[in-house]
Amino acid sequence: MAQVHDRLGDAVSMEALVRHQLILLGEFLTRGYRMTVEDVFGDATFTEAYKDMIVVKDIEMYSLCEHHLLPFFGRVHIGYIAKGRLVGLSKLPRLVELYSRRLQVQERMTRQIAECLQKYLEPVGVGVVVEADHLCMKMRGVEKQNSRVFTSCVLGIFQTDPKTRAEFMGLIKGVPNP
């Protein structure tokens, strides 16, 4: 153990090494810290009388677990019911990038995406579901290769109306609403 300590140096040097590694990786893996909601949405909001559900599903997502610095990745499904204000569809995957390209936990990221849409668009409601594979569960600790984590955040009518929530869940599962 002494040989390992001698080669690695003291804790301050180890901290500096990890910090430098994160800075080097940051340009690609943590670029979400350099993005803002204004960068994402810009001038891509529109006034429209559309009042039905809008769903974008299967948005690819890649992130880094803030506890283990190991990747987690999967899909994000977003739905909202507009109240006079729409956002360009390509902006929803960009919103996912804003929050996923940070050191993150899936639970917080799910809520951040939903709350951002709720605040920015002021829709009738928002639903976000994230399904992801976590390398921290597959490579270390419990080493469960087939585990997948699901998180959801529903706000507004998605939270208060079971039929609206069921319609959203059916759409992301590919089951049409009868």
Side-chain angles (χ1 to χ4, degrees):
M1 189 66 157
Q3 290 175 331
V4 171
H5 185 276
D6 290 343
R7 282 186 279 163
L8 295 178
D10 59 22
V12 174
S13 296
M14 182 62 84
E15 180 180 331
L17 178 64
V18 170
R19 184 180 310 276
H20 184 66
Q21 181 180 18
L22 288 173
I23 290 169
L24 293 174
L25 290 174
E27 185 171 332
F28 305 104
L29 302 177
T30 58
R31 66 178 173 256
Y33 289 116
R34 294 186 308 277
M35 299 169 67
T36 67
V37 174
E38 291 74 25
D39 293 334
V40 169
F41 292 128
D43 60 355
T45 59
F46 311 97
T47 301
E48 184 66 44
Y50 190 81
K51 295 182 189 247
D52 294 306
M53 192 176 301
I54 300 156
V55 175
V56 178
K57 65 180 247 179
D58 296 327
I59 301 168
E60 293 177 12
M61 176 277 303
Y62 302 92
S63 194
L64 281 175
C65 170
E66 71 180 32
H67 300 121
H68 306 103
L69 297 181
L70 288 171
F72 67 95
F73 53 91
R75 301 180 300 174
V76 179
H77 315 290
I78 300 173
Y80 72 98
I81 298 176
K83 187 168 54 178
R85 192 168 174 197
L86 301 178
V87 65
L89 295 176
S90 69
K91 302 306 180 184
L92 297 178
R94 290 182 194 276
L95 182 61
V96 170
E97 285 290 301
L98 169 75
Y99 291 111
S100 68
R101 294 302 183 142
R102 298 175 176 192
L103 297 177
Q104 193 59 278
V105 295
Q106 181 175 333
E107 299 87 342
R108 180 186 326 114
M109 181 186 69
T110 305
R111 180 158 288 282
Q112 286 173 326
I113 293 167
E115 288 178 346
C116 182
L117 272 176
Q118 185 71 33
K119 180 179 179 185
Y120 197 81
L121 293 179
E122 298 177 342
V124 175
V126 173
V128 176
V129 173
V130 178
E131 52 183 290
D133 293 294
H134 290 250
L135 291 187
C136 55
M137 288 182 63
K138 294 176 184 287
M139 294 176 62
R140 57 167 303 284
V142 295
E143 295 185 9
K144 299 301 177 202
Q145 302 308 305
N146 296 311
S147 62
R148 177 162 267 203
V149 178
F150 289 81
T151 52
S152 69
C153 180
V154 291
L155 303 172
I157 196 166
F158 285 74
Q159 187 175 54
T160 60
D161 182 19
K163 290 171 89 174
T164 302
R165 184 171 47 255
E167 178 183 354
F168 171 62
M169 295 300 180
L171 287 169
I172 66 173
K173 290 177 188 173
V175 179
N177 193 24

